[in-house]
Amino acid sequence: MAAILARAGATATAGGVLLWPTGRRPRNSVVVAAVTGPAVPQEGELERPAWSGETPLSRLVGALIAFKPLYSLMKLASREVIIRTAEKSNIPWREMTKKVLESDVYEVFERIRDPSLVYPDYYLNPFHAYDEGNLSWVAAAEAEPATMSIAKRAIPGAPSIEEANRIVRGSWLNAIEEHHLKYSRNCQINDILDIGCSVGVSTRYLAEKFPSAKAVVSA
């Protein structure tokens, strides 16, 4: 992603809004990305994402994960704790996941997928509780209840999940709006590109926040 942004001439603000030099940014558009600071190209094959680092803690975690029997126990235990914690907060984790997996997502995927697209290996390797990596169907189905759980943990005093989400999402939505008003010279937002948005939960909030946008795209 960083390489793509750099080639496009984009830089990112601390709030995650991408800016193009004069004459290169599409007019009346806002791009949101999960990056900060100048975009730096990273080319060639990577064994792991650059952000994973080589700290003692990351090496310890890597060693524990590499030991398959221990990793399996860790995975099952942590997964069950996460789900139980979410359901105690009235997040219907299993119900939401089942609804997605029993929908027509597989048929939709077959219609739109590009067979020539090659995913980086680290997206397909076991990660967190997912043996098939973060691009698995289960990971996708559990993404929304997981984000709801994170919001509730971030705002434990919120009276409801909806209110916790409103507070968490509202902070960065307001930051984007303030940034836009400061630098856009009051131009109307016509297009939004949400980069690094997982399954697009944040994209829906962006569409609601900026109803003038005619095209709201997740990437």
Side-chain angles (χ1 to χ4, degrees):
M1 182 63 68
I4 295 172
L5 300 179
R7 292 191 186 101
T11 56
T13 69
V17 178
L18 298 185
L19 303 177
W20 272 260
T22 302
R24 299 189 66 174
R25 179 176 65 87
R27 295 189 63 185
N28 301 339
S29 63
V30 168
V31 182
V32 182
V35 293
T36 56
V40 180
Q42 295 179 353
E43 299 183 354
E45 296 183 3
L46 298 177
E47 293 184 1
R48 61 175 64 86
W51 44 258
S52 63
E54 282 295 337
T55 64
L57 178 59
S58 67
R59 288 195 292 270
L60 173 61
V61 172
L64 293 174
I65 291 175
F67 185 58
K68 297 298 183 182
L70 181 58
Y71 170 69
S72 296
L73 292 175
M74 292 168 57
K75 178 181 63 178
L76 291 174
S78 62
R79 177 181 176 79
E80 191 59 30
V81 168
I82 291 171
I83 294 175
R84 283 205 310 267
T85 301
E87 292 180 335
K88 285 180 181 178
S89 298
N90 297 319
I91 299 171
W93 185 296
R94 292 179 175 87
E95 182 180 332
M96 293 176 69
T97 301
K98 181 180 179 181
K99 183 178 180 180
V100 172
L101 295 178
E102 293 182 352
S103 69
D104 62 348
V105 289
Y106 305 101
E107 297 174 10
V108 173
F109 175 70
E110 288 302 321
R111 291 200 302 267
I112 66 174
R113 79 184 186 95
D114 180 358
S116 66
L117 187 63
V118 178
Y119 299 107
D121 288 342
Y122 54 76
Y123 283 132
L124 305 175
N125 291 335
F127 188 72
H128 288 172
Y130 307 113
D131 289 335
E132 297 177 355
N134 261 359
L135 287 186
S136 67
W137 282 110
V138 175
E142 293 185 338
E144 186 163 11
T147 59
M148 294 169 66
S149 181
I150 291 171
K152 190 65 173 72
R153 291 184 64 182
I155 314 293
S160 66
I161 297 298
E162 291 73 18
E163 180 65 12
N165 259 324
R166 188 191 67 77
I167 295 172
V168 171
R169 305 286 178 179
S171 60
W172 62 264
L173 286 170
N174 290 336
I176 292 171
E177 183 177 42
E178 291 171 6
H179 187 279
H180 173 68
L181 292 174
K182 182 177 180 180
Y183 294 102
S184 70
R185 298 179 182 177
N186 295 321
C187 289
Q188 178 176 277
I189 295 176
N190 291 334
D191 304 291
I192 298 174
L193 174 59
D194 191 6
I195 299 175
C197 63
S198 182
V199 297
V201 175
S202 61
T203 311
R204 296 203 303 268
Y205 282 90
L206 284 165
E208 293 173 2
K209 179 69 174 180
F210 304 105
S212 65
K214 297 179 178 61
V216 182
V217 181
S218 301

